[in-house]
């Protein structure tokens, strides 16, 4: 029978908590000073350090170089050639996913998602937009999805120019390279939840690939826990002169786009403007970076995306799914959406030399570690509610999942922070209960949340109570 705690190369790690349990029980009878009936799962995961180390800058460089070699990957470009254009690019991505799958006993379902668009501002003629998706099915909770995405397509100055050289090395071969590399590393493990590697298309023409995928997920009833969209993860030299390879940005919406007017009315009185599930995914990524990614700090940006600009996490937010954008902190606009040229001694174009592959590897490892941690954790608590007005204490309630979804569940952790704090500052592990009272903590003065914790310590993102913070139900 499958046991999610038996991961390759990691047998000894996961027998560790059980040994602790044994020791605690023995001591409990003879030395009451150590008495403890609840074993708190560990919060250091050596397997995540292994995953972080396995991401390879050399393989990323090879993949981005291959993608650049297709000449242009414009959504309207050539699809029949085997060497040039977006058709060749997506067939190559599919073949890479197939290769990875062959090395893990067929652990990936590799599919195309297609839809034809026409009479759009940037798709004047009928054009098939095609995503390449690899799905690594979860062992305990297969309908819970954690998605990493990047974009196949590229463009130059004129968004309708589909013939000129458009390497799109950073925008966004770096993101697709990251998706493929994460698949290589994570496919060596088995997870409780489903992990998806998504190479989307049609981004530059109007976020069409994301719309296709979000629509399919919604229609098929996927419980999407997070979409981590990667768009430009290779540039370390900013237009403003800053050169820095130690920081990444994570953009997230504050209020859920799908909020109803009734939910907005309630939020006005109880809070939640800065606690959408997307925002709590961003906080999760921030914490993962601090704990597991050496020499990388996350700058959370409390904004859907860059000022007035777009990315492929947005179509997922638009249907109510948690989704964030990871990207470099220092952008260089001379190397985005530009015809390759030199003007007055200044070089323009999104060419290979603008990508720092050690940095791309760092951000790819941030994705891989985040997805592994989430996918090994139980589902985020559902139906989370809070009460305590005009009382000394605050009470949180939530639902426990049933069946195999709960198989790796140890219990829950409640979190709180001052309302002006950007991240969770206080927490308490409360065991396998569905209600907890924080004694003499007054509800008015803090924000609160709950996360679920696996027996081996993996933890879900924090869920802020009510519709404002909900990750959805268990069905
Ligand atoms: Zn772009």
């Amino acid at each position: 029978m499958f046991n999610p705690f038996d991961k390759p190369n990691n047998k000894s790690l996961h027998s560790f908590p059980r040994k602790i349990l044994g020791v605690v029980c023995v001591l409990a009878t003879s030395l009451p000073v150590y008495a403890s009936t609840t074993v708190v799962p560990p919060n250091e995961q050596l397997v995540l350090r292994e995953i972080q180390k396995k991401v390879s800058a050399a393989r990323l460089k090879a993949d981005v170089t291959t993608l650049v070699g297709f000449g242009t990957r414009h959504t309207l470009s050539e699809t029949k050639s085997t060497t040039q254009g977006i058709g060749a690019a997506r067939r190559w991505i599919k073949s890479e996913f197939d290769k990875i799958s062959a090395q893990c006993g067929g652990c990936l379902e590799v599919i195309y998602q297609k839809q034809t668009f026409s009479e759009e501002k940037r798709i004047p003629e009928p054009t098939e937009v095609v995503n390449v998706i690899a799905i690594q099915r979860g062992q305990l909770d297969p309908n819970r999805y954690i998605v990493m995405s990047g974009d196949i397509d590229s463009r130059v100055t004129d968004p309708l120019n589909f013939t000129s050289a458009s390497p799109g090395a950073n925008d966004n071969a770096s993101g697709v390279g990251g998706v493929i590399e994460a698949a290589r590393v994570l496919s060596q493990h088995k997870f409780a939840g489903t992990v998806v590697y998504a190479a989307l298309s049609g981004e530059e023409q109007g976020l069409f690939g994301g719309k296709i995928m979000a629509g399919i997920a919604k229609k098929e009833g996927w419980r999407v826990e997070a979409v981590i969209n990667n768009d430009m993860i290779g540039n370390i030299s900013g237009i403003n002169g800053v050169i820095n390879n130690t920081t990444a940005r994570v953009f997230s919406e504050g209020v859920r786009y799908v909020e109803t007017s009734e939910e907005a009315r309630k939020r006005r009185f109880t809070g939640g403007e800065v606690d959408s599930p997307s925002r709590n995914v961003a906080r999760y990524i921030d914490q993962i970076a601090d704990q597991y990614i050496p020499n990388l700090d996350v700058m959370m940006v409390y904004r859907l995306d860059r000022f007035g600009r777009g990315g492929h996490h947005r179509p997922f937010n638009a249907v109510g799914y948690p989704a964030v954008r990871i990207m470099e902190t220092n952008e260089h606009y001379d190397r985005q959406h530009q015809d390759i040229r030199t003007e007055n001694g200044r070089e323009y174009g999104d060419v290979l030399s603008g990508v720092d592959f050690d940095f791309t590897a760092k951000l790819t490892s941030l994705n891989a570690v985040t997805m592994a941690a989430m996918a090994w954790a139980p589902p985020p608590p559902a139906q989370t509610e809070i009460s305590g007005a005009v009382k000394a204490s605050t009470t949180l309630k939530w639902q426990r999942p049933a069946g195999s979804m709960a198989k790796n569940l140890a219990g829950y952790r409640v979190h709180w922070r001052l309302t002006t704090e950007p991240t969770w500052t206080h927490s308490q592990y409360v065991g396998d209960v569905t209600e907890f009272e924080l004694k003499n903590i007054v509800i008015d003065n803090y924000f609160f949340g709950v996360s679920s914790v696996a027996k081996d310590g993996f933890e879900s993102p924090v869920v802020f109570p009510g519709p404002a913070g909900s990750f959805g139900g268990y069905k």
Side-chain angles (χ1 to χ4, degrees):
M1 215 189 94
F2 168 75
N3 177 344
F5 311 120
D6 285 341
K7 294 182 272 286
N9 321 318
N10 206 27
K11 294 262 193 289
S12 60
L13 174 72
H14 286 91
S15 60
F16 182 66
R18 280 165 221 156
K19 275 185 209 142
I20 295 266
L21 179 63
V23 171
V24 170
C25 291
V26 170
L27 293 177
T29 52
S30 53
L31 292 170
V33 70
Y34 293 111
S36 169
T37 50
T38 304
V39 175
V40 179
N43 61 11
E44 167 91 1
Q45 304 293 350
L46 299 184
V47 66
L48 296 182
R49 301 208 180 282
E50 284 171 28
I51 288 170
Q52 179 269 321
K53 284 192 207 119
K54 282 204 173 129
V55 171
S56 156
R59 284 193 297 259
L60 282 161
K61 184 174 185 181
D63 290 349
V64 171
T65 304
T66 300
L67 286 163
V68 165
F70 293 112
T72 176
R73 302 184 309 281
H74 194 283
T75 299
L76 310 179
S77 66
E78 166 73 51
T79 59
K80 299 281 185 277
S81 162
T82 55
T83 59
Q84 298 293 295
I86 194 161
R90 64 203 182 206
R91 286 190 295 277
W92 174 78
I93 294 164
K94 178 166 186 304
S95 75
E96 284 304 298
F97 282 150
D98 286 337
K99 238 187 268 175
I100 294 165
S101 188
Q103 283 163 13
C104 59
C107 75
L108 302 181
E109 302 158 28
V110 185
I111 56 165
Y112 288 123
Q113 296 177 331
K114 309 177 181 184
Q115 195 178 323
T116 299
F117 295 89
S118 58
E119 293 177 27
E120 302 283 351
K121 197 169 135 215
R122 290 184 180 176
I123 306 186
E125 301 296 324
T127 303
E128 203 174 41
V129 173
V130 183
N131 300 327
V132 191
I133 311 285
I135 300 171
Q136 187 178 347
R137 196 61 66 185
Q139 308 291 308
L140 298 181
D141 190 3
N143 199 36
R144 174 165 60 99
Y145 291 81
I146 297 133
V147 180
M148 175 180 181
S149 62
D151 311 304
I152 306 170
D153 59 305
S154 63
R155 60 164 280 200
V156 288
T157 307
D158 172 3
L160 292 174
N161 176 350
F162 58 85
T163 52
S164 290
S166 178
N170 191 40
D171 183 13
N172 190 9
S174 67
V176 170
V179 166
I180 296 169
E181 178 63 4
R184 283 191 195 106
V185 172
L186 295 184
S187 58
Q188 300 306 302
H189 300 272
K190 283 189 159 74
F191 299 100
T194 294
V195 178
V196 180
Y197 313 96
L200 304 176
S201 192
E203 195 266 346
E204 305 289 4
Q205 309 312 107
L207 311 179
F208 291 101
K211 281 176 206 162
I212 296 172
M213 186 175 175
I216 289 170
K218 205 74 196 166
K219 197 169 140 226
E220 295 183 351
W222 297 17
R223 287 162 40 235
V224 175
E225 179 172 350
V227 174
I228 305 170
N229 182 48
N230 288 259
D231 196 346
M232 296 190 272
I233 59 168
N235 186 66
I236 61 166
S237 166
I239 189 95
N240 58 355
V242 175
I243 301 173
N244 187 339
N245 66 358
T246 68
T247 158
R249 289 182 292 177
V250 179
F251 288 86
S252 59
E253 66 178 1
V255 173
R256 303 179 74 200
Y257 178 71
V258 295
E259 183 179 62
T260 65
S261 54
E262 176 54 25
E263 286 164 356
R265 195 195 63 78
K266 194 181 165 224
R267 177 176 52 74
R268 188 170 175 223
F269 295 98
T270 58
E273 298 87 351
V274 290
D275 276 278
S276 68
S278 302
R279 182 63 48 75
N280 278 309
V281 166
R283 292 190 178 105
Y284 190 91
I285 296 170
D286 177 43
Q287 195 188 339
I288 289 281
D290 287 345
Q291 199 171 355
Y292 293 106
I293 315 298
N295 202 24
L296 181 70
D297 195 35
V298 161
M299 175 197 275
M300 279 194 292
V301 183
Y302 278 23
R303 188 174 257 164
L304 170 63
D305 206 328
R306 288 86 36 82
F307 198 90
R309 291 191 288 163
H312 251 152
H313 55 310
R314 174 149 50 101
F316 293 93
N317 288 152
V319 298
Y321 289 137
V324 302
R325 176 191 186 125
I326 291 187
M327 73 177 303
E328 65 214 21
T329 299
N330 301 292
E331 290 181 65
H332 203 305
Y333 311 120
D334 291 358
R335 295 197 282 269
Q336 294 177 13
H337 306 172
Q338 295 284 354
D339 294 334
I340 301 175
R341 65 192 191 279
T342 305
E343 252 174 43
N344 304 324
R346 194 161 175 160
E347 290 178 9
Y348 293 85
D350 188 358
V351 295
L352 261 183
S353 59
V355 178
D356 182 296
F357 290 101
D358 288 330
F359 182 71
T360 304
K362 214 187 266 190
L363 269 55
T364 300
S365 73
L366 176 62
N367 280 265
V369 172
T370 298
M371 288 196 292
M374 274 189 198
W376 269 318
Q383 301 295 327
T384 307
E385 290 168 24
I386 191 164
S387 60
V390 213
K391 287 196 178 113
S393 304
T394 298
T395 300
L396 285 148
K397 287 183 193 171
W398 55 91
Q399 265 181 14
R400 195 182 191 281
S404 68
M405 265 187 230
K407 217 164 171 179
N408 62 340
L409 178 76
Y412 294 88
R413 186 181 292 280
V414 299
H415 303 253
W416 65 103
R417 66 180 203 268
L418 285 171
T419 63
T420 49
E421 290 283 359
T423 54
W424 299 102
T425 54
H426 294 67
S427 73
Q428 183 179 341
Y429 181 70
V430 298
D432 193 0
V433 295
T434 56
E435 178 172 345
F436 190 78
E437 184 186 56
L438 281 160
K439 285 224 170 13
N440 292 323
I441 308 267
V442 175
I443 194 170
D444 305 333
N445 302 340
Y446 304 90
F447 288 145
F448 299 86
V450 190
S451 61
S452 55
V453 183
K455 288 171 186 161
D456 51 2
F458 292 100
E459 194 170 334
S460 78
V462 179
V463 180
F464 185 88
S470 175
F471 278 72
Y474 296 128
K475 283 188 183 134

